[in-house]
Amino acid sequence: MTARIGVVTFPGSLDDRDTQRAIRLAGAEPVALWHKDKDLKQVDAVVLPGGFSYGDYLRAGAISRFSPVMETLIDQAKAGLPVLGICNGFQVLTEAHLLPGAMLGNDHLHFICRDQKLRVENAGTAWTSDYEAGQEIHIPLKNMDGRYVADERTLDMLEAEGRVAFRYVARGAAADGYGNPNGSLRDIAGITNEAGNVVGLMPHPEHAVEPLIGSGRTDGLPFFTSILKKLVAAS
């Protein structure tokens, strides 16, 4: 079996091709999905890539959430389809209420682009099983609306249920990728749904899959090998 992982392209998506390449490097087959098409082409998992879908008009991810492809995706995600949202994809997942909370503008009001130090908090999801809990990784970050917020009750629920998937590592110098880059509450960089099949994060693992390009590291590749192993094991 060759696992087939769909990558949705919205108007304004920037990292769909990079994500397809990361999937191919992990050993799966990338499948291009168009935002106006409700058919997911029988893929085994889906990635919502980064970018500025619909120019981030209204707010990031707010229009894409109503694209025809999302109607099918929301139903299938609730039924267990693995879904990964990266940056703008994470924003779309919160707008679609597949993940709780919301994404606001960075607290310093500037676009940020740098390598970012993260700590893996949950290595039990469909997308993180090739990491170890507590592992620290470098993943490129680039966003304008990356500040994760939620009410205290939701934040406490995420903590209690182990649904914080990644945190920004606060210690160390910003020049080395440490620190909270956007004011996200409780240093949250990524979360998961209760079932562990839907994960969203702001940094871009697809830009850290080869030593010769992107960040020069391969810290992001385990996202894609994790889901591949899960799909193969389930076949």
Side-chain angles (χ1 to χ4, degrees), residues 2-188:
T2 299
R4 302 174 73 248
I5 302 177
V7 180
V8 178
T9 298
F10 299 100
S13 293
L14 301 179
D15 301 301
D16 44 346
R17 297 297 181 90
D18 302 73
T19 302
Q20 290 177 27
R21 180 174 178 79
I23 290 168
R24 191 176 295 110
L25 286 171
E29 176 188 351
V31 178
L33 300 176
W34 184 237
H35 70 111
K36 286 188 175 181
D37 190 354
K38 290 184 179 181
D39 183 9
L40 296 185
K41 301 181 181 179
Q42 297 182 316
V43 295
D44 303 298
V46 171
V47 180
L48 301 179
F52 300 91
S53 61
Y54 290 93
D56 281 348
Y57 290 117
L58 298 183
R59 60 184 178 273
I63 300 177
S64 295
R65 176 262 180 273
F66 294 101
S67 291
V69 72
M70 290 302 297
E71 182 178 332
T72 308
L73 181 65
I74 289 169
D75 288 341
Q76 293 203 20
K78 290 179 178 178
L81 180 74
V83 179
L84 175 65
I86 302 170
C87 196
N88 189 239
F90 185 13
Q91 295 160 343
V92 174
L93 291 177
T94 61
E95 291 288 339
H97 305 297
L98 287 173
L99 292 174
M103 311 302 301
L104 299 181
N106 297 341
D107 60 352
H108 45 72
L109 304 181
H110 294 286
F111 181 85
I112 187 168
C113 182
R114 73 182 197 190
D115 280 353
Q116 178 66 46
K117 194 76 167 182
L118 303 180
R119 182 171 62 250
V120 180
E121 300 284 5
N122 185 335
T125 79
W127 299 91
T128 60
S129 61
D130 265 2
Y131 293 109
E132 296 182 2
Q135 182 178 350
E136 294 187 359
I137 58 178
H138 271 98
I139 301 291
L141 176 78
K142 50 178 186 176
N143 64 71
M144 181 68 188
D145 300 293
R147 178 162 52 111
Y148 180 77
V149 299
D151 59 76
E152 286 298 311
R153 181 178 179 181
T154 298
L155 292 170
D156 289 343
M157 177 268 293
L158 291 172
E159 301 277 12
E161 296 180 1
R163 291 172 54 188
V164 176
F166 297 91
R167 250 185 258 274
Y168 301 114
V169 180
R171 71 176 191 279
D176 297 322
Y178 290 93
N180 186 326
N182 45 39
S184 291
L185 296 181
R186 303 195 188 182
D187 300 325
I188 291 174

Side-chain angles (χ1 to χ4, degrees), residues 22 25-27 126-127 129-130 220-230:
L25 286 171
W127 299 91
S129 61
D130 265 2
L221 190 60
F223 277 88
F224 306 100
T225 56
S226 292
I227 188 60
L228 177 59
K229 289 179 181 178
K230 179 177 178 60

